Protein backbone atom coordinates (compact mmCIF):
# COMPACT_ATOMS: atom_id res chain seq x y z
CA UNK A 1 0.00 0.00 0.00
CA UNK A 2 1.48 3.30 -1.09
CA UNK A 3 -0.28 5.46 1.52
CA UNK A 4 0.55 3.69 4.79
CA UNK A 5 -1.01 6.60 6.71
CA UNK A 6 -4.40 5.46 5.36
CA UNK A 7 -3.99 1.79 6.24
CA UNK A 8 -6.57 0.39 8.63
CA UNK A 9 -4.76 -1.70 11.21
CA UNK A 10 -7.43 -2.42 13.81
CA UNK A 11 -9.88 -5.29 13.53
CA UNK A 12 -12.72 -3.17 14.94
CA UNK A 13 -12.70 -0.79 11.95
CA UNK A 14 -12.35 -3.65 9.47
CA UNK A 15 -15.33 -5.35 11.15
CA UNK A 16 -17.30 -2.09 10.86
CA UNK A 17 -16.71 -2.06 7.10
CA UNK A 18 -17.74 -5.70 6.73
CA UNK A 19 -20.86 -5.18 8.84
CA UNK A 20 -22.04 -1.94 7.24
CA UNK A 21 -21.32 -2.42 3.55
CA UNK A 22 -23.95 -3.74 1.16
CA UNK A 23 -21.95 -5.00 -1.80
CA UNK A 24 -18.79 -7.00 -2.38
CA UNK A 25 -17.29 -6.84 -5.85
CA UNK A 26 -15.34 -9.86 -7.00
CA UNK A 27 -12.98 -9.89 -9.96
CA UNK A 28 -12.57 -13.11 -11.89
CA UNK A 29 -10.16 -14.28 -14.57
CA UNK A 30 -11.80 -14.25 -17.99
CA UNK A 31 -10.49 -13.85 -21.50
CA UNK A 32 -9.54 -11.48 -22.94
CA UNK A 33 -10.49 -9.19 -20.02
CA UNK A 34 -11.12 -9.66 -16.29
CA UNK A 35 -14.76 -9.90 -15.21
CA UNK A 36 -15.96 -8.00 -12.15
CA UNK A 37 -19.36 -8.49 -10.56
CA UNK A 38 -21.10 -6.91 -7.54
CA UNK A 39 -22.64 -9.40 -5.12
CA UNK A 40 -24.52 -9.46 -1.85
CA UNK A 41 -22.51 -11.24 0.81
CA UNK A 42 -22.38 -12.70 4.25
CA UNK A 43 -19.26 -13.55 6.17
CA UNK A 44 -17.67 -15.20 9.12
CA UNK A 45 -14.33 -14.12 10.56
CA UNK A 46 -12.76 -16.37 13.14
CA UNK A 47 -9.17 -17.33 12.35
CA UNK A 48 -9.77 -16.61 8.66
CA UNK A 49 -12.16 -14.30 6.83
CA UNK A 50 -14.64 -16.30 4.75
CA UNK A 51 -17.16 -14.61 2.45
CA UNK A 52 -20.34 -16.25 1.14
CA UNK A 53 -22.35 -15.25 -1.93
CA UNK A 54 -25.37 -16.61 -3.75
CA UNK A 55 -26.20 -16.64 -7.43
CA UNK A 56 -27.91 -18.53 -10.21
CA UNK A 57 -26.55 -22.04 -10.74
CA UNK A 58 -25.21 -21.18 -14.19
CA UNK A 59 -23.70 -18.25 -16.05
CA UNK A 60 -20.48 -16.41 -16.76
CA UNK A 61 -19.43 -16.05 -13.12
CA UNK A 62 -19.56 -19.80 -12.46
CA UNK A 63 -17.86 -20.58 -15.76
CA UNK A 64 -14.99 -18.28 -14.75
CA UNK A 65 -14.75 -19.89 -11.30
CA UNK A 66 -14.63 -23.38 -12.79
CA UNK A 67 -11.72 -22.33 -15.03
CA UNK A 68 -9.78 -20.46 -12.33
CA UNK A 69 -10.99 -20.00 -8.77
CA UNK A 70 -8.39 -17.40 -7.74
CA UNK A 71 -10.25 -14.12 -7.26
CA UNK A 72 -9.89 -10.72 -5.71
CA UNK A 73 -12.55 -8.67 -3.97
CA UNK A 74 -13.39 -5.14 -2.89
CA UNK A 75 -15.83 -3.79 -0.29
CA UNK A 76 -16.32 -0.09 0.43
CA UNK A 77 -18.50 2.32 2.38
CA UNK A 78 -18.79 5.85 3.76
CA UNK A 79 -18.43 7.75 0.52
CA UNK A 80 -18.45 11.50 0.90
CA UNK A 81 -17.31 13.97 -1.74
CA UNK A 82 -14.86 16.58 -0.45
CA UNK A 83 -14.96 19.77 -2.50
CA UNK A 84 -12.31 22.46 -2.73
CA UNK A 85 -11.99 25.71 -4.64
CA UNK A 86 -9.17 24.15 -6.71
CA UNK A 87 -10.29 21.25 -8.89
CA UNK A 88 -7.20 19.09 -8.26
CA UNK A 89 -7.82 19.24 -4.50
CA UNK A 90 -11.22 17.54 -4.65
CA UNK A 91 -11.34 14.10 -3.10
CA UNK A 92 -13.47 11.42 -1.53
CA UNK A 93 -13.80 10.13 2.01
CA UNK A 94 -14.20 6.36 2.24
CA UNK A 95 -13.36 3.13 4.01
CA UNK A 96 -12.51 0.02 2.00
CA UNK A 97 -11.19 -3.51 2.11
CA UNK A 98 -9.37 -5.11 -0.81
CA UNK A 99 -8.11 -8.67 -0.85
CA UNK A 100 -7.84 -11.96 -2.63
CA UNK A 101 -8.81 -15.51 -2.06
CA UNK A 102 -9.91 -18.82 -3.43
CA UNK A 103 -13.60 -19.26 -4.25
CA UNK A 104 -15.52 -22.50 -4.53
CA UNK A 105 -19.02 -23.58 -5.39
CA UNK A 106 -20.56 -25.12 -2.27
CA UNK A 107 -22.00 -28.61 -2.78
CA UNK A 108 -22.57 -29.60 0.84
CA UNK A 109 -26.18 -28.99 1.94
CA UNK A 110 -25.30 -27.86 5.48
CA UNK A 111 -22.54 -25.52 4.24
CA UNK A 112 -24.98 -24.05 1.73
CA UNK A 113 -27.48 -23.36 4.54
CA UNK A 114 -24.71 -21.81 6.65
CA UNK A 115 -23.72 -19.48 3.80
CA UNK A 116 -27.30 -18.44 3.07
CA UNK A 117 -27.98 -17.86 6.78
CA UNK A 118 -24.92 -15.58 7.01
CA UNK A 119 -26.17 -13.65 3.98
CA UNK A 120 -29.64 -13.24 5.49
CA UNK A 121 -28.24 -12.14 8.86
CA UNK A 122 -25.91 -9.63 7.18
CA UNK A 123 -28.96 -7.92 5.67
CA UNK A 124 -30.74 -7.89 9.02
CA UNK A 125 -33.14 -10.79 8.59
CA UNK A 126 -34.38 -11.10 12.16
CA UNK A 127 -36.26 -14.41 12.29
CA UNK A 128 -34.78 -16.95 14.67
CA UNK A 129 -35.35 -19.81 12.23
CA UNK A 130 -34.73 -19.15 8.54
CA UNK A 131 -36.77 -21.28 6.17
CA UNK A 132 -35.91 -21.68 2.49
CA UNK A 133 -38.31 -22.68 -0.26
CA UNK A 134 -36.96 -26.08 -1.35
CA UNK A 135 -37.48 -25.37 -5.06
CA UNK A 136 -35.61 -22.06 -4.85
CA UNK A 137 -32.91 -23.63 -2.64
CA UNK A 138 -32.22 -26.31 -5.26
CA UNK A 139 -31.80 -23.62 -7.94
CA UNK A 140 -29.49 -21.37 -5.90
CA UNK A 141 -25.74 -21.66 -6.02
CA UNK A 142 -23.74 -20.68 -2.95
CA UNK A 143 -20.14 -19.55 -3.28
CA UNK A 144 -17.57 -19.62 -0.50
CA UNK A 145 -14.44 -17.49 -0.67
CA UNK A 146 -11.63 -18.34 1.70
CA UNK A 147 -9.73 -15.07 1.94
CA UNK A 148 -5.96 -15.44 1.65
CA UNK A 149 -5.08 -11.83 2.40
CA UNK A 150 -6.62 -8.38 2.60
CA UNK A 151 -5.92 -4.79 3.59
CA UNK A 152 -8.12 -1.97 4.78
CA UNK A 153 -7.75 1.64 3.74
CA UNK A 154 -9.54 4.84 4.68
CA UNK A 155 -9.54 8.52 3.98
CA UNK A 156 -11.37 10.42 6.68
Amino acid sequence: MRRHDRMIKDRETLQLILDNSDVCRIALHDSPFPYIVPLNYGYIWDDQLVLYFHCAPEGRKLACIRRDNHVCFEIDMGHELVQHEHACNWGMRYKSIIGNGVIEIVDDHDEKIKGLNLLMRHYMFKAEQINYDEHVFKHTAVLKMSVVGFTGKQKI
Side-chain angles (χ1 to χ4, degrees):
M1 179 177 302
R2 185 180 63 84
R3 295 288 308 262
H4 291 283
D5 60 314
R6 294 186 181 168
M7 183 184 290
I8 300 170
K9 297 180 178 121
D10 63 290
R11 184 175 171 132
E12 184 178 311
T13 303
L14 293 166
Q15 191 91 44
L16 175 107
I17 296 167
L18 290 165
D19 287 343
N20 292 292
S21 297
D22 294 325
V23 173
C24 177
R25 292 163 191 84
I26 63 169
L28 305 148
H29 293 270
D30 203 1
S31 184
F33 301 104
Y35 177 56
I36 188 167
V37 60
L39 296 167
N40 298 115
Y41 70 96
Y43 77 94
I44 188 165
W45 187 10
D46 293 325
D47 295 333
Q48 180 181 29
L49 177 61
V50 177
L51 301 170
Y52 288 90
F53 312 98
H54 69 94
C55 61
E58 58 189 41
R60 183 177 179 186
K61 176 175 42 274
L62 294 183
C64 290
I65 290 168
R66 287 184 179 108
R67 281 192 305 271
D68 187 343
N69 67 343
H70 296 87
V71 299
C72 58
F73 72 96
E74 186 273 345
I75 299 170
D76 56 67
M77 64 167 285
H79 307 105
E80 181 184 346
L81 183 63
V82 179
Q83 299 179 6
H84 192 275
E85 71 179 75
H86 300 289
C88 290
N89 290 331
W90 282 48
M92 184 71 73
R93 290 189 179 102
Y94 62 90
K95 289 182 173 71
S96 67
I97 295 174
I98 294 177
N100 52 51
V102 177
I103 197 165
E104 61 186 289
I105 302 164
V106 175
D107 292 322
D108 180 74
H109 182 272
D110 291 340
E111 182 80 10
K112 196 171 170 179
I113 292 285
K114 175 183 175 180
L116 290 172
N117 286 349
L118 288 166
L119 271 149
M120 295 303 295
R121 300 258 188 262
H122 180 75
Y123 294 97
M124 306 304 172
F125 189 81
K126 298 292 184 196
E128 196 64 33
Q129 176 68 31
I130 301 174
N131 297 309
Y132 298 100
D133 178 285
E134 194 58 37
H135 177 73
V136 175
F137 183 82
K138 286 180 182 178
H139 298 297
T140 301
V142 173
L143 308 174
K144 175 184 178 181
M145 182 196 306
S146 299
V147 175
V148 175
F150 65 96
T151 57
K153 186 176 177 182
Q154 66 184 346
K155 182 177 178 186
I156 50 178

